[in-house]
Amino acid sequence: VPDLEIRSHRGLYAVRFGSAFAGLEKGLAPTEHLIIDAKVAELHAKALGPALAGASVLRVEATELNKSLERFPDHATHLLSRGLRRGHTLVAVGGGIIQDITAFLAATMLRGVPWVFHPTTLLAQADSCIGSKSSVNVGAWKNQLGTFTPPREIRVSLDALSTLDERDMRSGIGEMIKVHVIAGPEEVRALAADFPRLLADRAALERALRRSLEIKKRLIELDEFDEKERLVLNYGHSFGHAIESATDFAIPHGIAVTMGMELANALSVRRGLVARAELEAAATMIAANRAGFERVEVPEDRFLQALARDKKNAGTGEARLVLLRGPGKVFLERVALDDDFRSFCRGYFAGLRDAAGAGR
Ligand SMILES: NC(=O)c1ccc[n+]([C@@H]2O[C@H](COP(=O)([O-])OP(=O)(O)OC[C@H]3O[C@@H](n4cnc5c(N)ncnc54)[C@H](O)[C@@H]3O)[C@@H](O)[C@H]2O)c1
């Protein structure tokens, strides 16, 4: 029995919790092609030994460059040279980068082949593994090509996270905070109770992870194609993407989103949409999750330029941002990128620099 089933335009797909790399113990079937994060292949060489000895293994380093269009001729050539046929299956082992590469290949090669996913980062397990999206870079333009191509099945294992560093754990926690704030005050309270133990207590992490997937499931089933209900999952993301871009990805995705939520919350308070006190429980988790990353300098001009260039905002002089009237009360709002907005952002980053100074 699957732990969770997701309804999609391709039918139901299952999320199963279990031991690491379940189903790969005996190696690859002749119809399976492994696409694996090179670091994971090394760190988990023993458990993955039989699969890594298979006939079709593509090891990819998890870099943004490797999920850019320019690399796809190599990826596709590899699969064709290993005899990829219709009805064969791609098996992805890795985080969001391996997911994006595999999902895009699965969508396009031979007009579509099935894929299964063993997510190995917390971000991929708690968030990106469900929702069907693939996103591929074009040169320096991030995530500009993509499809909605869910895997046939997702095998989640907390054991696979044993080798993940704290920075990437906290990146995943950022997305977990996000969905809980979107869901409502009760969910925020539940996460806040587990939050101090997430890195040390497996049961607490698994609880929060399952709740995160359940919350996201509801939104993506309502709106798989990202036209309406699902858009609130962009909470923290326009700001977050601009932070990633302005820092040349020195800040991992989920931490940039954490800072993005802090900006969205502060802007909501400043506009009188919500009292600061209502966001306090979320604010405590957000501040703890970004702690230390204040030391990364975010050049404000690059940040503001990136925000204006965002694919949702380009050329309008406005940004479509997710703001909130409280946990569970999130909505999209057009915000003018004017002087007042710029001075608000400058104030936020000045505050971060002060926090970094005080923390030194
Ligand atoms: N398609 C989607 O829905 C979606 C959603 C969110 C993010 N993304 C994309 O995902 C990417 C970020 O993904 P991510 O944060 O999952 O990570 P990632 O794939 O970039 O991996 C992060 C780091 O962790 C390493 N790693 C992975 N698993 C490990 C393990 N078990 N032990 C030790 N190290 C491990 C990787 O080698 C890499 O160094 C971005 O490109 C982002 O655009 C896609």
Side-chain angles (χ1 to χ4, degrees):
V1 188
D3 290 83
L4 202 69
E5 265 187 320
I6 313 289
R7 217 175 335 106
S8 81
H9 71 293
R10 297 283 178 91
L12 287 174
Y13 60 98
V15 182
R16 294 176 203 278
F17 282 69
S19 54
F21 317 118
L24 291 175
E25 302 86 348
K26 297 204 177 83
L28 299 177
T31 53
E32 288 179 327
H33 302 257
L34 180 64
I35 302 179
I36 184 165
D37 181 319
K39 200 199 264 179
V40 175
E42 212 163 283
L43 289 169
H44 295 268
K46 192 147 171 267
L48 286 163
L52 292 169
S56 179
V57 179
L58 178 59
R59 292 176 195 239
V60 184
E61 272 178 46
T63 61
E64 287 294 325
L65 183 63
N66 281 336
K67 62 166 245 192
S68 68
L69 180 62
E70 294 75 5
R71 290 299 163 97
F72 275 78
D74 289 348
H75 302 330
T77 305
H78 168 90
L79 291 173
L80 294 170
S81 73
R82 297 302 188 280
L84 181 72
R85 301 269 183 286
R86 295 193 83 172
H88 284 191
T89 301
L90 307 185
V91 179
V93 177
I97 290 193
I98 300 301
Q99 172 186 349
D100 278 338
I101 294 170
T102 309
F104 195 71
L105 288 165
T108 50
M109 290 214 63
L110 313 179
R111 297 195 194 90
V113 291
W115 71 291
V116 301
F117 188 24
H118 300 256
T120 65
T121 62
L122 182 58
L123 184 128
Q125 292 190 357
D127 176 45
S128 69
C129 68
I130 60 170
S132 312
K133 284 187 187 176
S134 70
S135 308
V136 163
N137 305 328
V138 181
W141 286 279
K142 200 174 141 64
N143 291 347
Q144 297 299 305
L145 289 183
T147 63
F148 289 94
T149 313
R152 282 277 168 85
E153 184 168 280
I154 298 153
R155 311 293 299 238
V156 172
S157 167
L158 273 72
D159 295 334
L161 302 178
S162 61
T163 50
L164 197 66
D165 58 24
E166 186 183 324
R167 163 194 168 93
D168 283 302
M169 287 297 290
R170 279 166 59 186
S171 181
I173 289 171
E175 296 284 7
M176 290 164 75
I177 297 172
K178 180 195 77 177
V179 288
H180 282 77
V181 176
I182 289 171
E186 263 176 49
E187 288 81 356
V188 170
R189 264 194 298 280
L191 184 63
D194 280 334
F195 185 81
R197 295 191 305 277
L198 286 179
L199 293 176
D201 177 342
R202 206 187 146 97
L205 182 65
E206 181 163 343
R207 223 175 6 248
L209 205 162
R210 285 176 185 262
R211 268 198 317 264
S212 298
L213 290 173
E214 277 156 17
I215 296 166
K216 182 167 173 180
K217 167 185 155 80
R218 194 168 50 76
L219 292 167
I220 59 182
E221 287 189 339
L222 282 170
D223 174 26
E224 185 179 4
F225 298 119
D226 213 8
E227 289 163 340
K228 198 165 168 233
E229 291 88 347
R230 182 177 178 167
L231 289 169
V232 295
L233 288 171
N234 286 326
Y235 171 45
H237 275 64
S238 293
F239 286 127
H241 288 146
I243 290 171
E244 287 180 275
S245 162
T247 58
D248 296 319
F249 300 95
I251 298 180
H253 179 71
I255 304 285
V257 168
T258 302
M259 292 176 169
M261 290 188 278
E262 200 165 41
L263 272 156
N265 292 3
L267 189 58
S268 302
V269 169
R270 182 181 160 106
R271 297 185 142 216
L273 294 167
V274 57
R276 196 179 296 277
E278 269 202 66
L279 300 177
E280 199 177 307
T284 305
M285 293 189 278
I286 287 170
N289 201 49
R290 65 142 166 81
F293 286 92
E294 305 86 358
R295 284 193 286 274
V296 181
E297 176 75 26
V298 182
E300 282 151 25
D301 291 337
R302 287 185 66 192
F303 168 81
L304 289 163
Q305 280 159 19
L307 203 59
R309 264 201 327 264
D310 189 302
K311 61 177 176 276
K312 296 175 213 77
N313 310 328
T316 61
E318 291 181 328
R320 282 182 81 195
L321 299 171
V322 178
L323 300 182
L324 72 177
R325 294 198 170 82
K329 298 180 204 156
V330 288
F331 59 96
L332 272 167
E333 179 87 328
R334 289 185 187 283
V335 175
L337 300 175
D338 56 11
D339 285 344
D340 183 59
F341 179 81
R342 278 188 279 276
S343 89
F344 160 74
C345 293
R346 292 211 160 86
Y348 173 75
F349 290 115
L352 277 191
R353 278 192 296 275
D354 288 348
R360 240 171 228 138

